[in-house]
Amino acid sequence: MELTIKSTVNLNNDVKMPLLGLRAYKVKGEDAYNAVKWALEAGYRLIDTARIYCNEKAVGRAIRDSGIRRDEIFVTTKLWITDFDDPRAALLESLNRLGLDYVDLYLIHWPKEGYENAYLELEKLQKEGLCRAIGVANFKAHHIESLKAHGATVVPQVNQTEIHPLNTEEELLGWCRKRKITVEAYSPLGSEGRLILDDPRLICMRNYYHASASQILLRWCIQRGIVAIPKAVVQSKIEQNCQLYHFDITNSDIETISDMNCNDRRNYDPDKIDLRPMSMYPKITPED
């Protein structure tokens, strides 16, 4: 499979989405600006942010300052759970912060109570052209099935969820593929990367492929058609993460990496999200 940094996957509405991107998570202000700037200079064309990350202004400024045509950059942001009552207003505010006329992908961030009605509003926003694609994040199969039961007519284009060798989500991945829902992996290197990157099996592969463990794990994603959005804030790491195109992982090594799975999800359990008190969520803070 010949892949390049320009490689894309076709979403179920024929929108093309890059297979590799930068996740601007837990980084604000100039740090967010620089990370996006460096990523775009390195050739990335997918930038992932969210309202709750409180960095849309910095992300948008870096996109504008890049000088790259808007239609060449795929921008994702997300609807936060406190905005389910008015997704339209939330998206318009995100667009204002980003300084954009539209986003390429708008996701419901978590399956918190009320997400079904919020998704119906996303369908309307998509028809208006304010977002080219819509989808969900941190959803399990039954959460997505509930959308149709509540009147949704658009199959989500994307389901963004935590995927890495310790949490491969093979069942969910297969379920989404059957329904032509593209799966996007956040934390593809693991929330505590060293627990994965120092695995002896990966150390052996590093020597064989002449690649870093991070590069191997990202290749493990994109080679299987899973969009990968690693977080990085150091320029050298951002550049290293996109140098994935000088090798192919063999099928046996893909299986070896997948066999590391132990269903070790580091983020919240989506099935318990309604039990989580609002006081435990991150706070939305003013942006620079």
Side-chain angles (χ1 to χ4, degrees):
M1 180 186 299
E2 186 174 349
L3 297 172
T4 72
I5 197 167
K6 294 183 179 180
S7 293
T8 59
V9 59
N10 284 343
L11 303 183
N12 62 31
N13 64 341
D14 291 328
V15 168
K16 295 184 181 298
M17 181 178 186
L19 270 170
L20 182 71
L22 177 79
R23 184 184 183 214
Y25 174 65
K26 283 189 176 181
V27 55
K28 299 179 182 179
E30 288 305 302
D31 288 337
Y33 175 87
N34 287 328
V36 173
K37 173 179 176 288
W38 293 328
L40 293 172
E41 290 174 349
Y44 291 74
R45 290 297 180 266
L46 165 58
I47 304 298
D48 178 275
T49 184
R51 175 65 186 109
I52 195 62
Y53 299 168
C54 301
N55 60 15
E56 289 174 319
K57 285 185 179 180
V59 168
R61 182 162 57 91
I63 290 170
R64 294 191 301 277
D65 289 352
S66 72
I68 300 169
R69 281 174 29 184
R70 171 66 185 93
D71 61 2
E72 294 181 7
I73 304 176
F74 192 102
V75 182
T76 300
T77 194
K78 308 178 191 76
L79 176 70
W80 188 236
I81 57 178
T82 54
D83 295 323
F84 280 4
D85 288 343
D86 197 345
R88 180 184 177 83
L91 178 54
L92 290 175
E93 289 171 2
S94 283
L95 290 174
N96 183 59
R97 285 186 291 269
L98 287 163
L100 302 176
D101 295 326
Y102 68 92
V103 291
D104 298 274
L105 178 62
Y106 197 39
L107 303 176
I108 293 182
H109 211 145
W110 284 94
K112 188 77 172 173
E113 182 180 3
Y115 72 84
E116 295 97 341
N117 288 334
Y119 186 84
L120 297 180
E121 294 303 310
L122 263 62
E123 291 187 351
K124 297 176 184 177
L125 296 172
Q126 184 179 28
K127 288 180 180 178
E128 292 180 38
L130 294 175
C131 43
R132 298 173 65 220
I134 58 175
V136 296
N138 301 293
F139 276 43
K140 295 185 177 181
H142 71 89
H143 295 123
I144 298 175
E145 287 179 327
S146 184
L147 295 174
K148 185 175 182 180
H150 282 75
T153 59
V154 176
V155 176
Q157 272 87 53
V158 173
N159 183 16
Q160 183 185 118
T161 193
E162 178 184 339
I163 291 180
H164 47 74
L166 301 185
N167 188 64
T168 58
E169 295 285 8
E170 292 295 340
E171 185 175 347
L172 177 61
L173 179 60
W175 188 91
C176 286
R177 281 176 172 161
K178 287 181 180 178
R179 291 154 180 82
K180 297 183 179 180
I181 300 171
T182 295
V183 174
E184 181 178 22
Y186 71 77
S187 298
L189 309 179
S191 297
E192 297 178 16
R194 63 181 180 82
L195 299 180
I196 301 175
L197 302 184
D198 292 341
D199 188 284
R201 289 162 288 191
L202 285 178
I203 291 174
C204 291
M205 290 183 198
R206 283 186 341 210
N207 298 328
Y208 179 78
Y209 292 113
H210 302 289
S212 70
S214 297
Q215 290 169 332
I216 291 168
L217 293 187
L218 293 173
R219 183 79 194 197
W220 170 76
C221 281
I222 66 173
Q223 199 168 306
R224 295 183 298 145
I226 300 171
V227 176
I229 48 169
K231 172 193 173 181
V233 294
V234 177
Q235 185 173 9
S236 60
K237 185 64 175 175
I238 290 170
E239 293 172 349
Q240 182 190 68
N241 282 347
C242 71
Q243 295 166 358
L244 313 172
Y245 309 105
H246 60 287
F247 68 101
D248 288 324
I249 303 180
T250 64
N251 289 336
S252 61
D253 281 343
I254 285 177
E255 291 178 5
T256 295
I257 295 171
S258 297
D259 284 344
M260 295 168 63
N261 181 58
C262 55
N263 300 319
D264 186 8
R265 181 183 178 91
R266 301 306 178 97
N267 217 323
Y268 316 131
D269 182 346
D271 282 332
K272 298 179 180 178
I273 205 70
D274 284 328
L275 303 177
R276 185 177 175 84
M278 292 300 296
S279 60
M280 295 183 68
Y281 286 101
K283 303 298 182 184
I284 293 179
T285 58
E287 298 187 31
D288 296 336

